[in-house]
Amino acid sequence: MATTLDIARDNPNAQTIVAPLAAATSGEDMPTLIGLNREELAAAMAEIGVPEKQRRMRASQLWHWLYVRGVSDFAQMTNIAKDLRAKLAETFTIARPEIVDEQISVDGTRKWLFRFPPRGAGRPVEIETVYIPEEGRGTLCVSSQVGCTLTCTFCHTGTQKLVRNLTAEEILSQILMARERLGDFPDASTPQGAIVPSEGRLVTNIVMMGMGEPLYNFENVKKALLIASDGDGLSLSKRRITLSTSGVVPEIFRTGDEIGCMLAISLHAVRDEDRDILVPINKKWNIEALLDACRNYPGLSNAKRITFEYVMLKDINDSNADALELVRLLKGIPAKINLIPFNPWPGSQYGCSDWERIEEFADIVNRAGYASPIRTPRGRDIFAACGQLKSASERMRKKDREAISASA
Ligand code: SAH
Ligand code: SF4
């Protein structure tokens, strides 16, 4: 099976940058400060003997350095006394993951392959993150799991078994790394206290649409997104953060209630017998249950619509009857419909609908009053388009798992 690298190699226009991009990976065994909420940061300060009265202030300083300035070395935290910095560095890490590979598509899309420590997986794990620049915005497509437990038949990630969930730190690190590589953090020498403009940023939007099912890793995703949207930190508006789910119905209400981000649903079929095959989680929670959960999504309004993703598969789900049924199903739900031309991958069994078919389908949906943009495939040459992400991390061997539990 061809790998990402083979495909980039075959394409003379795709630019591949390989090592030496490795960021510091030392301190792998030390506890990280990235991904801790403010209370946890204050507790970490207590651990190293910071007096109670100073803890909140120190936690705020760290928060600022980590998420506004984007530093990855305690030595850069110039308003923190030297001996405290030394103590921090002895006890904790704020190191970023290693960049195994960075590719830039002819259309400007970038894809990174990041390597994280095993954390119980037996060996280091690798995941992909994609940056898609567009007119007036830049979207970062973030992964939530290494592999996926689900097996949607048109999705490349679905062929990679779940290795493990990503931690909140690892989810956030994808944002921090992307901003660092894009030069999207303010200059480290910006005076302390200066107002740092959020206008003109390169990463303006986050979509949880990378590898994995984010609602099967709810707590870590929630923690990471609450930090990403914190107004004193990365400051990404919740209106610009979209979580996509294949339909983990019991977690949908909590997503709106506890995270408050925008919701996207991987619908892809309008009849249960078809969706059972394309998106097998449908056998557990069918279309009716899924749409009921959507109707009850907290904050749902015409100004805050749910996006329904619909991959266009030739002769499978792309007829006019399917379009009409889609319109009927979504009646009464404030919705946008995102038509995604199928992106092929090595070994995939489907074809992408013809362009005329996609347009006719879109017309029917548009005439019913729904915005239905056709998502232009981005980064296909570097294998970065929807559903093409997959890393080589293999599921932990049974022997390794047993060895870990025996030593625990
Ligand atoms: N697991 C979540 C998040 C991944 S989002 C989910 O399924 O919603 C990635 C989006 O791309 C999903 O809508 C997914 O269904 C879609 N997708 C998967 N494989 C694709 C492919 N080969 N071509 C186009 N879209 C695909
Ligand atoms: Fe997993 Fe989403 Fe791919 Fe389905 S479409 S296999 S849920 S990543």
Side-chain angles (χ1 to χ4, degrees):
M1 186 186 275
T3 65
T4 319
L5 283 173
D6 295 330
I7 284 156
R9 240 179 258 131
D10 292 345
N11 177 351
N13 297 320
Q15 212 181 322
T16 305
I17 305 168
V18 198
L21 285 173
T25 45
S26 57
E28 267 178 19
D29 302 329
M30 289 173 155
T32 179
L33 295 185
I34 298 172
L36 301 189
N37 61 32
R38 287 166 193 279
E39 293 71 47
E40 290 166 336
L41 261 186
M45 295 305 97
E47 238 178 83
I48 55 168
V50 172
E52 194 175 350
K53 275 199 198 130
Q54 288 181 22
R55 284 176 204 156
R56 276 188 53 194
M57 183 265 289
R58 293 292 180 212
S60 288
Q61 285 177 325
L62 281 166
W63 194 270
H64 181 85
W65 284 113
L66 292 176
Y67 301 121
V68 178
R69 303 299 187 91
V71 307
S72 54
D73 185 349
F74 290 112
Q76 290 170 283
M77 301 182 171
T78 45
N79 64 347
I80 296 180
K82 259 199 173 148
D83 52 341
L84 180 55
R85 273 189 263 158
K87 213 177 243 174
L88 283 166
E90 273 164 30
T91 323
F92 302 110
T93 178
I94 51 172
R96 303 265 174 82
E98 185 183 338
I99 305 177
V100 181
D101 189 22
E102 174 175 274
Q103 294 177 61
I104 306 175
S105 156
V106 285
D107 68 16
T109 301
R110 285 178 188 235
K111 184 172 80 170
W112 294 279
L113 182 65
F114 295 130
R115 181 175 295 151
F116 293 104
R119 304 219 161 94
R123 56 184 82 94
V125 298
E126 292 174 356
I127 54 110
E128 296 188 312
T129 307
V130 177
Y131 174 68
I132 308 144
E134 285 170 288
E135 196 61 41
R137 68 170 175 190
T139 303
L140 194 69
C141 182
V142 171
S143 293
S144 56
Q145 298 183 309
V146 188
C148 191
T149 48
L150 302 169
T151 50
C152 305
T153 44
F154 52 88
C155 174
H156 201 202
T157 310
T159 65
Q160 181 185 5
K161 282 188 185 147
L162 180 76
V163 178
R164 68 166 171 83
N165 279 338
L166 292 177
T167 62
E169 174 218 353
E170 292 163 339
I171 295 166
L172 270 172
S173 290
Q174 297 172 61
I175 307 175
L176 297 176
M177 285 300 282
R179 292 197 64 200
E180 180 182 305
R181 293 296 303 160
L182 293 165
D184 204 21
F185 278 119
D187 198 337
S189 60
T190 310
Q192 176 66 23
I195 294 173
V196 181
S198 54
E199 291 290 306
R201 278 205 199 155
L202 294 175
V203 177
T204 59
N205 292 54
I206 300 288
V207 291
M208 294 303 300
M209 294 188 185
M211 294 162 59
E213 168 49 62
L215 295 190
Y216 275 155
N217 186 14
F218 188 88
E219 295 304 332
N220 290 327
V221 167
K222 170 181 163 184
K223 209 167 171 200
L225 293 183
L226 291 182
I227 294 175
S229 58
D230 183 285
D232 293 326
L234 286 161
S235 254
L236 285 147
S237 153
K238 289 183 181 181
R239 304 294 295 262
R240 289 172 174 267
I241 300 178
T242 303
L243 182 149
S244 173
T245 179
S246 57
V248 184
V249 165
E251 307 291 3
I252 287 181
F253 185 85
R254 292 182 66 199
T255 303
D257 194 39
E258 298 176 28
I259 307 176
C261 60
M262 306 296 283
L263 182 69
I265 299 286
S266 292
L267 189 63
H268 305 314
V270 291
R271 285 171 216 90
D272 282 326
E273 61 266 33
D274 299 332
R275 197 166 187 268
D276 282 349
I277 296 169
L278 295 176
V279 188
I281 200 176
N282 196 68
K283 287 186 246 167
K284 205 159 184 182
W285 297 291
N286 65 13
I287 296 177
E288 192 188 346
L290 178 58
L291 296 182
D292 270 351
C294 289
R295 284 191 190 87
N296 292 320
Y297 192 67
L300 187 61
S301 70
N302 279 335
K304 202 177 168 198
R305 294 163 191 254
I306 294 177
T307 300
F308 288 88
E309 298 161 280
Y310 197 94
V311 62
M312 298 301 295
L313 302 170
K314 192 180 173 74
D315 299 330
I316 302 282
N317 63 356
D318 61 353
S319 70
N320 288 352
D322 291 321
L324 289 166
E325 180 61 8
L326 178 62
V327 168
R328 192 191 67 80
L329 279 177
L330 299 188
K331 204 159 184 255
I333 304 178
K336 285 183 275 193
I337 297 163
N338 208 330
L339 301 179
I340 316 175
F342 170 66
N343 292 306
W345 36 273
S348 56
Q349 48 171 314
Y350 298 105
C352 180
S353 311
D354 299 332
W355 199 249
E356 299 76 53
R357 183 91 295 275
I358 300 181
E359 286 192 329
E360 202 173 327
F361 194 102
D363 274 351
I364 294 176
V365 175
N366 279 329
R367 263 184 266 127
Y370 291 101
S372 61
I374 303 169
R375 196 186 284 173
T376 324
R378 298 289 304 267
R380 269 187 180 175
D381 57 339
I382 57 166
F383 229 52
C386 296
Q388 292 185 315
L389 305 186
K390 177 174 177 172
S391 72
S393 293
E394 296 297 336
R395 190 181 177 73
M396 208 186 333
R397 286 197 315 247
K398 191 161 171 258
K399 207 164 83 205
D400 290 342
R401 279 203 306 269
E402 284 168 359
I404 287 168
S405 44
S407 66

